[in-house]
Amino acid sequence: DAKTTQPNSMESNEEEPVHLPCNHSTISGTDYIHWYRQLPSQGPEYVIHGLTSNVNNRMASLAIAEDRKSSTLILHRATLRDAAVYYCILISGNTPLVFGKGTRLSVIA
Amino acid sequence: DSGVTQTPKHLITATGQRVTLRCSPRSGDLSVYWYQQSLDQGLQFLIQYYNGEERAKGNILERFSAQQFPDLHSELNLSSLELGDSALYFCASSVISGQSTEAFFGQGTRLTVV
């Protein structure tokens, strides 16, 4: 029972912004929205998380819809190093990280 | 470097054997998670420990077991190994378990069963 829906794959040109969408129409009020990514041959790494307000950090921005039923991870300038699988995950209470299939992002030079 | 250390990095063993994978969490992290990632498969959550106690269980086979020791390192034991157990096994740690904490992943142990 997937709680989030993401496109299987996306493509971006290098140095252009990338908007990775995630639908979570059944989100509950206590669910935090987390994003992780997994680069080839590496373990997953944390990108960003938020609850209601938009969030920014050095890696990315997270835009959360007002009704919280969707969110968008924004990479402001994609680089070849950003090619990875990106996972949008809902976490509530003490539930562990459960990964879905994610979005495979390809970056074209 | 995430601060999570997994050993060994690679392991090759025969069917029917038993292996132990080790994870040292980041200093101060109380929660440890184990994941399995097979070729072309997603990350499957296996089990979570928090301060020595089992906190959550995922798709972990009965042939697999884990524990977290008083020094907070964790071990994943895989027994009666089958070819299908060949996979990358990741460990992650976080300060606490919960919705507002980030998890840090190790580089994984690649297990090959022949």
Side-chain angles (χ1 to χ4, degrees), chain B:
Chain B
D1 180 11
S2 66
V4 177
T5 304
Q6 290 188 245
T7 55
K9 287 188 168 42
H10 301 276
L11 196 49
I12 301 175
T13 190
T15 54
Q17 295 298 304
R18 171 190 169 96
V19 297
T20 297
L21 313 184
R22 182 186 168 101
C23 171
S24 295
R26 289 189 325 150
S27 177
D29 283 0
L30 298 178
S31 202
V32 170
Y33 312 78
W34 285 98
Y35 293 84
Q36 179 193 57
Q37 187 170 38
S38 305
L39 265 175
D40 299 326
Q41 294 288 316
L43 280 151
Q44 298 292 315
F45 167 68
L46 296 178
I47 198 164
Q48 178 197 359
Y49 280 83
Y50 177 73
N51 204 21
E53 304 216 345
E54 183 183 302
R55 173 62 66 91
K57 221 168 190 176
N59 300 324
I60 188 165
L61 299 172
E62 283 192 18
R63 300 184 285 109
F64 296 0
S65 65
Q67 54 184 326
Q68 185 179 27
F69 294 86
D71 68 352
L72 301 177
H73 92 271
S74 178
E75 292 181 357
L76 179 67
N77 299 298
L78 315 176
S79 61
S80 303
L81 284 167
E82 302 174 359
L83 296 177
D85 298 326
S86 296
L88 259 174
Y89 291 83
F90 288 105
C91 166
S93 73
S94 62
V95 175
I96 58 175
S97 66
Q99 61 251 51
S100 62
T101 57
E102 63 182 275
F104 295 84
F105 284 76
Q107 289 300 301
T109 292
R110 183 173 294 281
L111 173 66
T112 303
V113 183
V114 296

Side-chain angles (χ1 to χ4, degrees), chain A residues 37-105:
Chain A
R37 73 179 185 180
Q38 187 175 20
L39 279 63
S41 303
Q42 294 193 28
E45 66 174 341
Y46 166 83
V47 178
I48 201 167
H49 77 276
L51 182 61
T52 56
S53 306
N54 295 343
V55 185
N56 300 299
N57 66 19
R58 64 174 179 79
M59 285 182 72
S61 296
L62 176 60
I64 301 173
E66 202 168 323
D67 64 6
R68 301 211 322 128
K69 293 186 176 182
S70 65
S71 61
T72 303
L73 180 70
I74 302 165
L75 307 179
H76 296 286
R77 278 179 73 243
T79 68
L80 296 178
R81 260 205 95 251
D82 292 320
V85 180
Y86 288 78
Y87 299 94
C88 168
I89 304 167
L90 302 183
I91 301 177
S92 178
N94 293 321
T95 57
L97 275 175
V98 176
F99 290 80
K101 295 196 181 305
T103 296
R104 182 174 298 278
L105 175 67

